[in-house]
Amino acid sequence: MLFAKSAEASVSPSYPKYFFPSKMIDYLSSGTPTITCRLKGIPDEYYDYCYVTDSDDESGLKNKIVEVCEKDEADLLSLGNRAKKFINSQKIPGEQCARLFNMLENT
């Protein structure tokens, strides 16, 4: 995670169809802007905190990386901080367990 914190951006390329990459949570919680392809295994709410390309080929990813690198540093920091707050407030283990217990109680 130390490496992600010192990077200008983290890149999460496409993965197998139903795979939830835990690296996405690591990247977002670091506060580093994250660039990713839209993946079926990741809930849509995560994409509000990333720079997303809808293209999963090399060209689409390259174009998104160039676009993000041209952004103002304040914009990058703002999204990175929002992502970190999202993960640290809503996706920590205790919060996830509480959601699971609530779901089980309501079934």
Side-chain angles (χ1 to χ4, degrees):
M1 177 109 87
L2 181 60
F3 179 72
K5 286 182 181 179
S6 66
E8 287 190 36
S10 298
V11 179
S12 180
S14 62
Y15 288 94
K17 190 173 181 179
Y18 296 108
F19 181 74
F20 185 91
S22 61
K23 279 292 164 202
M24 176 69 80
I25 291 174
D26 289 343
Y27 292 157
L28 294 176
S29 68
S30 75
T32 302
T34 300
I35 303 167
T36 188
C37 301
R38 197 167 291 282
L39 305 170
K40 290 186 179 184
I42 296 181
D44 287 339
E45 66 182 329
Y46 284 76
Y47 295 121
D48 293 337
Y49 305 97
C50 311
Y51 294 102
V52 182
T53 177
D54 289 319
S55 172
D56 62 356
D57 63 13
E58 291 176 17
S59 168
L61 189 57
K62 176 191 150 249
N63 291 339
K64 184 56 73 172
I65 291 170
V66 169
E67 176 188 320
V68 170
C69 288
E70 292 174 346
K71 288 192 175 291
D72 183 65
E73 185 176 354
D75 292 338
L76 297 173
L77 290 172
S78 176
L79 184 64
N81 287 332
R82 283 183 40 238
K84 184 177 184 176
K85 183 177 178 182
F86 166 69
I87 295 297
N88 291 334
S89 67
Q90 297 183 36
K91 303 303 174 185
I92 57 175
E95 180 67 26
Q96 294 297 77
C97 288
R99 287 182 184 182
L100 178 60
F101 288 135
N102 286 337
M103 182 183 72
L104 292 173
E105 285 182 341
N106 295 323
T107 56

